[in-house]
């Protein structure tokens, strides 16, 4: 059935608002500039990234999930403190 509007909004807000933390050090900035140059992303990629993320729709997410996720062939890994009961399927 896909994600809800609230889930999409939370994911978009997270990506847009946490993006600034990718540029806190000289190393991070240099890595970003190298990627922009290597992949020919353009001088305005930072602004374009935020604009493009804000354009993502529920239909886009569902289409990508159907294309790249295979519910019949996946591995679920749960990490929890020792002694925590396993989740029920």
């Amino acid at each position: 059935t896909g994600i809800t509007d609230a889930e999409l909004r939370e994911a978009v807000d997270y990506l847009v608002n946490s993006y600034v933390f990718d540029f806190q050090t000289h190393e991070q900035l240099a890595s970003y500039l190298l990627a922009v140059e290597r992949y020919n992303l353009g001088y305005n990629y930072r602004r374009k990234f935020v604009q493009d993320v804000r354009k993502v729709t529920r239909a886009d997410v569902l289409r990508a999930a159907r294309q790249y996720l295979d519910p019949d062939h996946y591995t679920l890994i749960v990490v929890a403190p020792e002694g925590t009961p396993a989740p029920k399927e």
Side-chain angles (χ1 to χ4, degrees), residues 18-76:
S18 65
Y19 190 55
V20 297
F21 296 110
D22 291 344
F23 308 100
Q24 291 185 315
T25 67
H26 295 294
E27 182 180 55
Q28 288 172 317
L29 184 56
S31 179
Y32 164 78
L33 293 172
L34 179 62
V36 166
E37 183 66 24
R38 177 178 290 154
Y39 300 112
N40 197 28
L41 300 174
Y43 73 93
N44 63 341
Y45 177 72
R46 284 178 63 182
R47 179 173 292 156
K48 188 175 181 322
F49 172 81
V50 170
Q51 292 170 346
D52 289 346
V53 168
R54 290 198 186 281
K55 291 178 187 175
V56 172
T57 66
R58 289 175 57 206
D60 294 332
V61 174
L62 186 57
R63 184 176 53 257
R66 285 184 175 148
Q67 181 176 352
Y68 295 106
L69 302 179
D70 182 354
D72 296 326
H73 300 94
Y74 72 96
T75 301
L76 174 66

Side-chain angles (χ1 to χ4, degrees), residues 78-87:
V78 177
V79 179
E82 189 174 339
T84 302

